[in-house]
Amino acid sequence: MTEKEMLKNLTALDFMAVDLQLYLDTHPNDTEALEKYNSIIKEADMLRSQYEKNYGPLFSFRSYNHGNTFKWINEPWPWKKDANFDIKGEDD
């Protein structure tokens, strides 16, 4: 999986987690939704860890330092186009 594919998948997983969290706020006894939420969180954590090991941290906080270098300052910065991906149809 490429770096961009990993970021896209991680974005989707994080979105699903937030969406399910909102649902669970009003449906706390829905065990199927809770199991799905926990599964998504676990998958996102594994993907985030894999991404950070290969490409560097996603956050300036809460990130493990792999090796003896601080990679947060490496390019591209989050606000640059290269650090983001386009959603199809966004500019069409």
Side-chain angles (χ1 to χ4, degrees):
M1 189 178 318
T2 69
E3 180 180 5
K4 295 264 185 192
E5 290 170 333
M6 290 176 86
L7 283 174
K8 259 185 164 173
N9 288 343
L10 189 54
T11 300
L13 289 168
D14 285 346
F15 180 84
M16 287 187 285
V18 169
D19 196 41
L20 275 170
Q21 181 182 6
L22 292 171
Y23 173 81
L24 285 165
D25 284 345
T26 58
H27 300 81
N29 298 321
D30 187 337
T31 56
E32 186 178 334
L34 183 58
E35 287 175 14
K36 183 67 176 170
Y37 173 80
N38 288 333
S39 171
I40 288 169
I41 292 297
K42 185 176 182 178
E43 187 177 349
D45 283 347
M46 289 184 340
L47 185 57
R48 187 175 288 108
S49 177
Q50 182 183 0
Y51 179 92
E52 289 185 343
K53 183 178 179 185
N54 292 329
Y55 303 108
L58 291 166
F59 304 100
S60 61
F61 58 92
R62 184 185 99 153
S63 296
Y64 293 107
N65 185 8
H66 299 283
N68 292 325
T69 60
F70 187 69
K71 295 182 181 180
W72 179 250
I73 61 171
N74 294 350
E75 294 282 341
W77 288 87
W79 53 84
K80 292 191 175 179
K81 183 163 180 57
D82 292 346
N84 296 285
F85 55 87
D86 294 324
I87 297 173
K88 292 187 188 259
E90 190 175 74
D91 295 327
D92 294 335

